[in-house]
Amino acid sequence: MAEYHFPLLTALIFFPLGACVVLFFLREPARVRVFTLAASLIELGLAIPLLGFDLGTSAFQFVEHHAWVPAWGLSYYLGVDGISILMIALTVALLPLCVLCSWRYIENRVKEFHFCLLFMTSACIGVFCALDFVLFYVFWEAMLVPMYLLIAVWGGPERRYASIKFFLYTLAGSTLLLVALIAFRIAGGTFSIPELMEKGFSVQLQTWAFLAMALAFAIKVPMFPLHTWLPAAHVEAPTAGSVLLASVLLKMGTYGFLRFCLPLTPVAAQHFAPMMIAFSLASIIYGGAVALGQTDMKKIIAYSSVGHMGFVTLGIFLFNLHGAQGALFQMLNHGITTGALFMMVGAIYERSHSRQVVDNLGLSSYLPAYIGFFGLFALSSFGFPGTNNFVGELLVLIGAFRSNPWIGAAAIPGAMLAAAYLLRLLQKLAWGEPSKARGWKDLNGREWSYLLPAAVFVLYIGLAPRIVFRIIDPSVEHLLAGFRTETALAMPACPKARAAGMVQGKTTDDPVKLSSIVRSPQGGM
Amino acid sequence: MACRVEWILPELYQLLMILVLFLWSLGNSRWKPRVDAWIPWAAGLGFVVSLFSFGARGMLFADAYRIDALSQFFKAAIAFGFAVTVLNATRQQTIEARKKADYFLLLALSALGLMILASAVELLTVYLAMELSSYSLYALIPLRDREKGAAEAGIKYILFGAVATGLALYGFSYILASQHTSYLAELAGRDWSWAASPLAVVGLTLFLGGFFYKLALFPFHFWAPDVYQGASNETATYVSTLPKLGAIVLLIRLTSLLKPGLEITTILAVLAALSMTYGNLAALIQTDVKRILGYSTVAHAGYVIVALVAASTQGMAAAAFYAVAYLLMNLTCFWVVCRIAPDGRNVELDDLNGLHRRAPGLALILAVGAFALLGLPPTAGFMGKLFLLTSAWDHGYNWLVVVAALNTAVSLYYYLNMVRHAYTQDEPLRPAPALQPGAGFGLLWGGLLAVLVLAVGILPAPLFQAALKAGSAILP
C-alpha cells in the first residue's frame, strides 16, 4: 500500500462542511447555487487522487489514524477498500448533479437547502470511510438531520408525516446498533473495525449483535416488511432528496451488512441467512408487485427500489463470490440508475407540476430527448443486456442458482416484474394520448448536463464492467475468505450454535441438521 | 489541620457575592445602579475563580468537607451554570425591578448550597447543604408577576420538598442507627446487603429518596413538570439544571457504597428504567415546551443512573461528563425558550411555529439543543450517552442499557416536535410576542452555548479527562 501523506479522506469529508460555513455569508439565491455547484465540482476534483487506489490489495488504503478520546478508546480512523471506494465515488459524483437538478425546483430558502445538501454529502462520505465504530455511528446518525430537513422543509404536501416517519424508523433501528457496538467494544476491547474483524466473538454475542445490527441495516435498506417509510419519504422529498436517498442512503444499509455483519458476526450471519434470504425474496417480489399497481411515477420508482435492494441483500447472504460481486455491482448500479430516474421525474415535474403518470402522457413527439434518456434508464433499471444493471442482476442470479436453484427460481419473477412495470410506465410516457404535453420544451442544457453523465455510466458499466470487478474483487475475496475461515472454526462449537438456535425460538437438538444448515451455502466459487 | 484559602475559593467568592447582593437589596432602590448591570460579570468571574482552585485537594472541617477532583469539577460546572442562568435572568420581565437583587440573592444562595453539597462527605453536612439550596428555591419559584400558577408551583415544590426532606432525615436516622457513623468514607466499608443490615438498606433507600426528589427521578418526579410550568421561564432554567448537578455529585459519592448485585443497586436500576420510560412517554403528549423539558428531565435522571449502577471509575466519569453535557444542552434549550417569550409567558409548541423565519438563529440554537438532548451526534448529548452506556455494559445490567437505548427512539418524537414546529410550520396560532430589542444578546450567548454543545460532542477528550480524574477521586 502506497503511503499517502495528504489527508485525502479528511479533506473529502470536511471540504463540504467548510463550504457550508461560507454559505452563511452569501445572500442571493443565484450566487448560492453557483457557489455550491463550484464547491461540488472542487469536491469532485479533490476525489481525483482516489484513482490512485491500489487494485492489487484488499487492505484499507488512504488510511488516517489519530487519537480522538484516548481514555475511551475512540479514534479518528479513516480508510477505504474496494467495498467503500465505489460508494464514495458515487456520493461525490452525485453532489453536482443534485445541485443542478434542484436549480429551478427549489425556490424558497435556497441557502438552507444547499446547506443540507453539503452537510449530507459530508456525513455520507464519512459513513463509508469510517473505520472506527463510533465514528461510523456519528456519521450514520449525523446524516439523519439534514435528510429530515430536506424532506420536512422542501417536501410535498404530506412532508411532515413522511419526514417524521423516516426519522423515527431509522433512529429506532440504530439505537440497538449503538448497543451492539458497545457490546463489541467490551468484548473485543476496541472500537477499531479492522481490529474487531480479526477477533472472534462468542456465538451468543454474535447472535444478539447480528439481530441488533440487522434491524438497523434492514430498516435502512429497506427490506420488507420494514420498508414502509421509503415510499412516503421518496414521494414527498424534493428531487435532490430522493436522489440522495435512493442512491446513497439505502446503500448504507447494505454497506453495513457487508462491513459489519459478515466479518464480525459470521456464524450468526450464516445461521440467520435463510431468514435474510427469505426477506430479500419477499422484498423483490413484493416491491415489484406493488410498483405495478402505482400511478405516481415516484412511487413506482420507490417500490422498484425495494425490489432492487432485495437483490442486493440476496446477493450478500448467499455468501458466494458471484452473489457478493453482484450485490456490490447492484449497489453502484442502483445508485446510478434510480438516481437518474428520480432526476427524470423531477425534470418532468418542472413542466407538468404533477408526478401522476396520467398527467405526463405521450411525450415522445414533444420531448424526444427526454424519452430517449428515460428509455435508457428504464431499460437499465430492469436489467436489459448491455446496461449496468444486467451485469449485477445476472451475477446475483448466478450466485442464487449456485447456492440453491429454488432461491434462483424464486427471484426470477422479481426480475420479470421489474420489466413489466417499467415497460408499462415507459409505454404510457412515450406513446400515451398526449394530454398536456403539447408545447413543453425538450431538455435544456442544464438537464442534459446532469443526465448525460449518468447515461454514460449506465452504458460504460454495462458494456465494460471489468474495471469495477478489478476494484471490488480483492476486497470481496478477502471478505468471503475471512467469513469461511471463521464459520469453519466455529463448526466444532456446536453447543454454542445450538444456543443461537434457541434464541431464535427453536431447539435444534439435532447437531447434524444444524451443521447442514451451516454448511449448505458453501457451494459457490 | 492546615487549611488554605484557595481550597475553598469558589465558595468564598460565592459568599462574597451573596453579601454584596444582600447589601444591594437593602434600602431604597433609587440611588443604586441596577443589579443586572454587574451581576452577570460577577457570576462569570465566579467561574474563572472556580477554575483557579480546580487542582486543590484537601480535607476540612473535621473531615466532613472534602476538596477533591470530583468536588472541584462540579463546583466549576455549578459556577458556570450559575453564570449562564444569571445572565439569562437579567432580562426577566416577570419580576419587579426592586425585587431583582433579592432574586439574585436567592439564586446565589442556592448555588452556594450546591457547591457545598459537591464537597460534603458526611451525611449531616450533605443534609444541610441540600436544605440551603432548597430553601432559597422555595422562595424563588413563586416570584413571578401576573401568574397565579407560580404560587401553586411554589406550594407544590415546598410540600413535595418537605416530604422528601422528611424521608431523607428519617432514612438518615436508620443509617446512623445501624451503621453507627455518618461519614461516607466509613460507610463505604460497611456491608450494604439486605442480609447483613436490612435497616441500613431501608435507611439508605429513604435517604436517596431525598435526592431523587432533587433529581426528579420517578417516582419523585411529580413536581417537576408543574413547577417548570408555574415558575417563570428563567427560574425554571435554574431549577431544571443546577440542582441536578448537586444531586448527581452526591449520588456519585454514594455510589462508592453500591456494588453491582446489591439489592439497593437493583432498586436504583429499576427506578432508572422506570424513570426514563415514564418521562419519555409522558413527554410525548405535552404541548407546553417547559413541561416537555420537565419530563425530559425525568428521563435524563434515569439515564444518569445507568452509569452509576456499574459502580466503576468509568461509570463515575461518564456520569460526571453527562452531568455537564446535560447542563449545557438544557441551558441551550431554556435559553431559546426565554428569548422567544420576552414578555415572560409560557411557551406552547405552537408558539414555536415559524421560528425559522422570525429568528433563524434562535431556531438553529434550539435545534442543536433539542438534538443534543435526544442524543444525536455530533453533540455533547451523544458522547455523554455513549460513555454512559459503554460504562454500564457487562456489569450485570445489560437490560438497562437496552432500555436506555430504546428510550432514545421514544424520546425522538417530542424533541423532534420542537424542531418540526420551528422549521416546518409557518404561522403561529396566536400572535407571537415581538422579539425584544437586543436580539444580538440572545444570539451571541445562545450561539456560544450551542457551539459549546457541539464542541463537547466533537472534541470531548479534554472534558472527559477532567471527568475521569473526578471519577477516580472516588474509586481509584
Side-chain angles (χ1 to χ4, degrees), chain A residues 24 68-72 74 108-109 112 115 119 134 137-139 141-142 144-145 148-149 152-153 159-161 163-164 167-169 171-172 175-176 178-179 181-187 191 205, chain B residues 314-315 318 356-357 364 371 374-378 382-383 385-391 393-394 401-402 405-406 408-409 412-413 416-417 419-420 423-426 457-461 464-465 468:
Chain A
F24 270 116
W68 184 18
V69 187
W72 214 254
L74 304 187
N108 59 339
R109 298 161 83 185
E112 288 89 343
F115 180 91
F119 196 107
V134 174
Y137 191 81
V138 165
F139 287 123
E141 296 267 88
L144 290 178
V145 178
Y148 163 77
L149 289 175
V153 178
R159 59 182 194 270
R160 293 193 190 103
Y161 163 79
S163 55
I164 287 242
F167 211 137
L168 267 178
Y169 261 74
L171 189 93
T175 51
L176 287 180
L178 182 62
V179 179
L181 82 87
I182 287 169
F184 279 123
R185 161 74 174 89
I186 301 297
F191 279 123
L205 174 65
Chain B
Q314 281 84 9
H356 72 91
R357 277 183 211 283
L364 189 64
F371 285 132
L374 170 61
L376 273 193
F382 168 72
M383 275 301 157
K385 205 169 267 186
L386 175 75
F387 294 147
L388 284 185
L389 299 185
T390 315
S391 68
W393 190 260
D394 247 4
V401 175
V402 173
L406 288 177
T408 308
L412 164 70
Y413 183 77
L416 191 61
N417 223 354
V419 180
R420 189 173 68 106
Y423 272 94
T424 73
Q425 310 273 7
D426 280 335
I458 294 168
L459 295 170
F464 189 72
Q465 280 299 339
L468 205 57

Side-chain angles (χ1 to χ4, degrees), chain A residues 12-13 16-17 91 116-130 135-136 138-144 146 248 252:
Chain A
L12 280 178
I13 293 173
L17 281 183
T91 313
C116 287
L117 274 188
L118 289 169
F119 196 107
M120 271 297 286
T121 308
S122 283
C124 293
I125 297 173
V127 165
F128 293 124
C129 297
L135 194 63
F136 168 84
V138 165
F139 287 123
W140 170 275
E141 296 267 88
M143 162 216 78
L144 290 178
V248 184
M252 291 179 183

